[in-house]
Amino acid sequence: MTTQSQPAASLRETAQRLGDEAIKLAEALIAHPSEIVPNGGNEGPAQHFLADFLKDKGYDTIDVFTPDAVPGAQAHEAWWPNQTYTDRPNVVAVRKGKGGGRNLILNGHMDVVPAGDRAQWAHDPFDPIRRDGYLYGRGACDMKSGIAVMCMAMEALRQAGVQLAGDVILESVVCEETGVYNGTLACCLKGYQADGAVVLEPTNLDICTGLKGNHVYEVEIPGKATHNCLWWRGNSAFDHAIYFKEGMKRFEDLRTAQLRHHPLYHDADYFPTPALVDDIWYLKAGEAHFFAVPDQAKLMFMVEMLPGENREQVKRQFERFMENWCAAHPYLKDHPPVFHSPDFRPIYPTAVSLEDPLVQLMQQSLTQLRGQRANTRGFESACDAMTLTLWGNTPAIMYGPGLLENAHEINERVEVAQIRQAVVELAEFIRRYCGD
């Protein structure tokens, strides 16, 4: 047991020693493919491996359960339907404290996006390799290194003999990547709640105290077909889609001017556009081998909201702007685009107060270890921190190794030095937050 006269150096030394073990654990997790598939996933083997790994690490309980098995979960307002959970368990390990301290959740998701075309990878995506200071493999960045870090930070506390005052709940969950979030929701509804939570998403070891919300749109844009050799006699839905996109960019520019000084998204290097609008990821117009002016185009994109904004209000502002924009078009004014909301979970922006002990003690821990203040900002995307905050009654921040730009990409990677650093920093934060 540590005492006030025993400095944190013992814990720091132990955590430094376990940095390589964290990298090895991340490699082992990468080697267990856990890709999502439509309405499902194959996280089971990786989750069972992790549960076995944790069994002799001093936890009071290890709970392995599928999200749909939690009583009342499927009737909850936040439950997202049409998913299968065969051999897709959550793994929750609890280490009880001696009492009198804050309780903490450490959360990570085991599912990864599909590897894609394996011929484009420099190596097998599920055969992890280290090269030039990086660990490569599907899930290396998002977020099996994060799971390894939280496991080894807890192991460092155990091996250093630190008896925490508060409880620590370690969660490895399923079905996060598709925005379903039922894995973490099930943990919340099973009673796993705490004073605060850290979600080990890749933040470049910055402290991210808020995250974005969004709404996904599918828009049908009409046109008038005619033979492609008489293009000028028709009305191309593809050209109309370009006009529509110009309007999206205009609205995005207005939003950027309004949000440029947002307390979490003001840094133009990280966030040249604080809230995205002009981010079309799908476009279809016309039919191959039909030789006709396209009479319909379809776009898919999302409109983002920042913490402090009302999601429904931003949606209404966008839709009104685009209606007015299209009303100035010679064809679209009489044939307006049709807006649909496809089957995606609503994502709400959330944030934790900068005065919360979760943020204050994380900043103190990192400042002491680094000799300078850590960057505090908003997260670039959405994640399970929303679920913990809104439905778990647990304010959640994000902190973890890796750059989000390296997540989901071919040849996904994470800097191994950040894995080692994160084990030390997270272990010290846990000690401060939970008390010893």
Side-chain angles (χ1 to χ4, degrees), residues 54-82:
L54 295 172
K55 282 180 180 177
D56 62 348
K57 298 298 189 286
Y59 291 93
D60 294 280
T61 61
I62 296 179
D63 192 4
V64 180
F65 61 95
T66 57
D68 57 345
V70 176
Q74 297 183 63
H76 192 272
E77 61 173 335
W79 180 266
W80 200 245
N82 303 319

Side-chain angles (χ1 to χ4, degrees), residues 31 36 51 78 101 113 126 141 145 147 204 246 251 287 311 323 396:
I36 54 170
V113 297
F126 300 108
C141 178
S145 291
I147 292 176
N204 197 31
E246 291 172 353
F251 184 74
E287 297 292 338
R311 185 174 182 273
E323 287 168 2

Side-chain angles (χ1 to χ4, degrees), residues 36-355:
I36 54 170
V37 298
N39 304 110
N42 65 340
E43 300 98 323
Q47 290 287 68
H48 294 304
F49 170 84
L50 181 65
D52 289 341
F53 174 85
L54 295 172
K55 282 180 180 177
D56 62 348
K57 298 298 189 286
Y59 291 93
D60 294 280
T61 61
I62 296 179
D63 192 4
V64 180
F65 61 95
T66 57
D68 57 345
V70 176
Q74 297 183 63
H76 192 272
E77 61 173 335
W79 180 266
W80 200 245
N82 303 319
Q83 299 287 309
T84 59
Y85 292 99
T86 302
D87 198 27
R88 300 182 70 197
N90 288 332
V91 176
V92 179
V94 179
R95 185 172 299 166
K96 302 290 290 184
K98 59 188 177 183
R102 300 182 189 88
N103 299 331
L104 178 68
I105 289 174
L106 303 173
N107 175 283
H109 63 82
M110 188 63 80
D111 55 311
V112 301
V113 297
D117 183 2
R118 297 196 181 194
Q120 295 187 42
W121 284 76
H123 56 86
D124 187 325
F126 300 108
D127 184 12
I129 64 167
R130 300 184 213 179
R131 187 177 67 241
D132 300 327
Y134 288 90
L135 171 63
Y136 289 83
R138 175 55 85 220
C141 178
D142 187 16
M143 57 179 296
K144 292 184 175 179
S145 291
I147 292 176
V149 164
M150 68 187 192
C151 291
M152 283 304 166
M154 288 299 295
E155 181 62 6
L157 288 156
R158 185 178 77 92
Q159 291 190 19
V162 177
Q163 185 179 358
L164 297 171
D167 302 345
V168 178
I169 302 167
L170 188 151
E171 299 177 347
S172 177
V173 302
V174 298
C175 66
E176 190 273 353
E177 285 291 3
T178 50
V180 171
Y181 300 163
N182 285 348
T184 293
L185 177 65
C187 292
C188 297
L189 299 180
K190 202 171 185 187
Y192 293 114
Q193 300 184 7
D195 298 288
V198 179
V199 180
L200 274 293
E201 290 281 358
T203 69
N204 197 31
L205 301 185
D206 291 343
I207 305 170
C208 292
T209 64
L211 52 78
K212 297 181 178 184
N214 64 64
H215 181 75
V216 175
Y217 284 98
E218 182 179 88
V219 177
E220 295 180 1
I221 300 177
K224 181 179 180 296
T226 189
H227 195 288
N228 69 298
C229 291
L230 300 171
W231 189 273
W232 61 92
R233 294 186 180 274
N235 274 280
S236 168
F238 179 72
D239 291 345
H240 299 165
I242 293 173
Y243 178 83
F244 188 91
K245 184 179 186 301
E246 291 172 353
M248 292 171 61
K249 183 64 169 67
R250 290 284 186 92
F251 184 74
E252 184 180 80
D253 289 343
L254 291 173
R255 295 270 291 151
T256 295
Q258 294 168 352
L259 299 170
R260 185 70 282 164
H261 300 293
H262 190 282
L264 298 180
Y265 291 90
H266 60 86
D267 189 331
D269 290 332
Y270 269 103
F271 305 109
T273 304
L276 296 174
V277 179
D278 183 17
D279 65 342
I280 296 169
W281 68 75
Y282 173 80
L283 165 65
K284 182 181 184 299
E287 297 292 338
H289 311 299
F290 193 49
F291 303 106
V293 172
D295 64 357
Q296 189 176 83
K298 183 181 292 185
L299 309 176
M300 290 189 73
F301 56 92
M302 67 170 59
V303 173
E304 293 185 333
M305 304 87 184
L306 300 188
E309 293 193 293
N310 181 283
R311 185 174 182 273
E312 294 303 316
Q313 184 178 22
V314 174
K315 285 170 55 183
R316 289 193 297 270
Q317 290 172 349
F318 170 71
E319 290 167 15
R320 284 198 298 267
F321 182 92
M322 293 307 299
E323 287 168 2
N324 292 334
W325 177 260
C326 292
H329 187 274
Y331 185 84
L332 296 179
K333 67 179 181 180
D334 298 318
H335 308 84
V338 179
F339 290 73
H340 300 284
S341 296
D343 194 22
F344 285 89
R345 168 188 287 285
I347 303 296
Y348 299 92
T350 62
V352 177
S353 169
L354 298 179
E355 304 305 314

Side-chain angles (χ1 to χ4, degrees), residues 141-142 201-204 377 379-382 401-409:
C141 178
D142 187 16
E201 290 281 358
T203 69
N204 197 31
R377 59 178 175 88
F379 191 52
E380 297 95 329
S381 184
L403 293 167
L404 193 63
E405 67 190 63
N406 296 135
H408 300 192
E409 69 177 357

